[in-house]
Amino acid sequence: MLDLFAGCGGLTRGFVDEGDFRSSGAVEFDRSAAATYAANFDPTGTHTFAGDIADFRDVPPVDLVIGGPPCQGFSALGRRDPADVRNQLWREFVRVVRDSDARMFVFENVDRFAKTPEFDLLRAAAGEGGQLADFRTQVFRLNAADFGTPQKRIRTIIVGSRIGPVSAPVASHARRPTANLPRWVTLREAFLSGPVVLDPGVRDEWLPESFLDFQGRSVPGAFKLRDLHVTKRYDLTSEIRYAHIAPGQSRLQLPEDLQYPCWRRDPVGRSDVLGRLRWDEPGVTIRTEFFKPEKGRFLHPQWENGGDQVNRALTHAEAAVVQGFDDRHVWCGSKAEIARQIGNAVPPPLARAIARVVGDRLTAA
Ligand SMILES: C[S@@+](CC[C@H](N)C(=O)[O-])C[C@H]1O[C@@H](n2cnc3c(N)ncnc32)[C@H](O)[C@@H]1O
């Protein structure tokens, strides 16, 4: 398979872990993300095209093309500008699917992609008279939590196939437990008894000094998941603010004297700012700046009134765990670059569920 807009390779991770898939190429123009991809899936570094997809011409023949163009153009958080050049990237996706002669494709994006003109255009491309006329598409709206990820994250998945339809990915977990399905994985389970247990008392601020050569340039890394268990130094007022916020609460519950002036003018909006996560639920959608508490609900869930408190945002390692990565994945780049890779990734457990139904179709054909 070929992964376009590959990022750190969250999507590939799920497909490779599912068994029968092998990556024969990836396209990613962020150098550190491309280095992360290569460190995990391309040991010789020769199959990873670290450049703009518009310049990617040597398309190898593959069975499957997977990929998720950047979502800022489509996401509710982005500018929602229909002329945004990023919205045109699906065209490049279509070109590469055609040039690769793939039998199937998987296109991933944010929930609201299904309501954009680009969504209709992509489906039209796979319709009568379109560039991918021999493909038929199926659309799935999937929540990563239903597939064993300790995170509520809803994504639109379009599966294109010219060898027949796939069955719907099968949920392994449910919001409320049923006779067949356990309830969603919580942060308590993920942090305290998951495959990677991380000490909440972390103090380290910096990644280790380590560099590797990626296509002739030096890139920080490759770091293990535990190396990413780093925090930052907060000023005292910030720590006092965080200490006032119980699980499920946010800046809205802060006493008047700890509010920023701009918040006082907006007493109800942006209710997730300085939000604290809850131990007994999955996390909320991890974004690229999860390490800044003012960017959302990213405060660590440990908080006892007057007792044991962890007054900081999630570490990079914790965010990667919430995204469903384990310690087999390694990472390259600066702290901010790695945070972007983590926040952009498709959770590998969700990718695995998709890989299973796509793999069944490819083997049956
Ligand atoms: C949403 S992320 C993909 C995440 C990935 N699917 C995963 O699971 O880890 C989109 C990626 O597209 C890359 N990108 C954006 N524009 C690009 C372009 N013109 N050519 C190549 N890559 C691009 C970004 O650097 C970003 O890493």
Side-chain angles (χ1 to χ4, degrees), residues 84-98:
D84 189 329
V85 63
R86 288 170 298 202
N87 288 351
Q88 306 300 323
L89 292 175
W90 67 268
R91 286 181 205 280
E92 296 293 341
F93 186 93
V94 168
R95 172 183 65 84
V96 176
V97 170
R98 209 193 43 223

Side-chain angles (χ1 to χ4, degrees), residues 12-256:
T12 290
R13 167 60 68 197
F15 274 77
V16 166
D17 285 356
E18 192 44 36
D20 289 334
F21 292 94
R22 191 172 54 80
S23 167
S24 23
V27 179
E28 168 55 56
F29 77 0
D30 177 294
R31 183 158 290 274
S32 64
T36 295
Y37 189 94
N40 286 285
F41 306 113
D42 177 16
T44 60
T46 50
H47 296 151
T48 306
F49 181 79
D52 190 330
I53 189 166
D55 300 326
F56 178 58
R57 297 287 143 185
D58 277 336
V59 180
V62 289
D63 289 316
L64 172 70
V65 174
I66 60 176
C71 57
Q72 290 87 339
F74 317 125
S75 123
L77 292 171
R79 288 178 296 133
R80 270 187 260 176
D81 173 359
D84 189 329
V85 63
R86 288 170 298 202
N87 288 351
Q88 306 300 323
L89 292 175
W90 67 268
R91 286 181 205 280
E92 296 293 341
F93 186 93
V94 168
R95 172 183 65 84
V96 176
V97 170
R98 209 193 43 223
D99 291 356
S100 69
D101 208 24
R103 295 190 285 164
M104 297 186 75
F105 69 79
V106 173
F107 181 100
E108 176 269 346
N109 223 280
V110 289
D111 189 20
R112 53 164 280 107
F113 179 69
K115 299 199 174 76
T116 62
E118 287 70 25
F119 172 81
D120 296 330
L121 289 168
L122 180 59
R123 295 204 78 191
E128 214 174 309
Q131 285 172 287
L132 302 175
D134 45 348
F135 283 79
R136 289 292 166 269
T137 50
Q138 291 168 273
V139 182
F140 301 103
R141 182 175 183 268
L142 304 177
N143 187 343
D146 289 337
F147 299 90
T149 313
Q151 181 190 184
K152 292 176 262 182
R153 185 183 187 95
I154 297 176
R155 285 299 184 258
T156 296
I157 306 293
I158 304 175
V159 176
S161 169
R162 47 196 181 96
I163 51 172
V166 296
S167 32
V170 182
S172 57
H173 293 72
R175 179 189 290 269
R176 291 198 183 73
T178 67
N180 305 321
L181 298 178
R183 65 160 164 64
W184 284 343
V185 179
T186 65
L187 291 183
R188 189 185 299 281
E189 289 158 347
F191 288 177
L192 304 183
S193 54
V196 196
V197 175
L198 297 161
D199 173 13
V202 59
R203 285 266 162 263
D204 285 350
E205 264 196 281
W206 304 108
L207 297 174
E209 280 278 308
S210 165
F211 294 87
L212 53 68
D213 178 86
F214 173 63
Q215 299 183 348
R217 295 229 212 131
S218 171
V219 179
F223 304 115
K224 297 192 165 70
L225 190 125
R226 276 177 204 289
D227 296 333
L228 305 186
H229 195 43
V230 286
T231 181
K232 67 175 243 190
R233 223 173 276 288
Y234 297 100
D235 61 48
L236 191 58
T237 323
S238 297
E239 287 199 23
I240 293 171
R241 276 199 182 98
Y242 308 157
H244 274 83
I245 298 172
Q249 296 188 342
S250 72
R251 61 115 182 159
L252 298 181
Q253 280 74 33
L254 279 177
E256 190 68 21

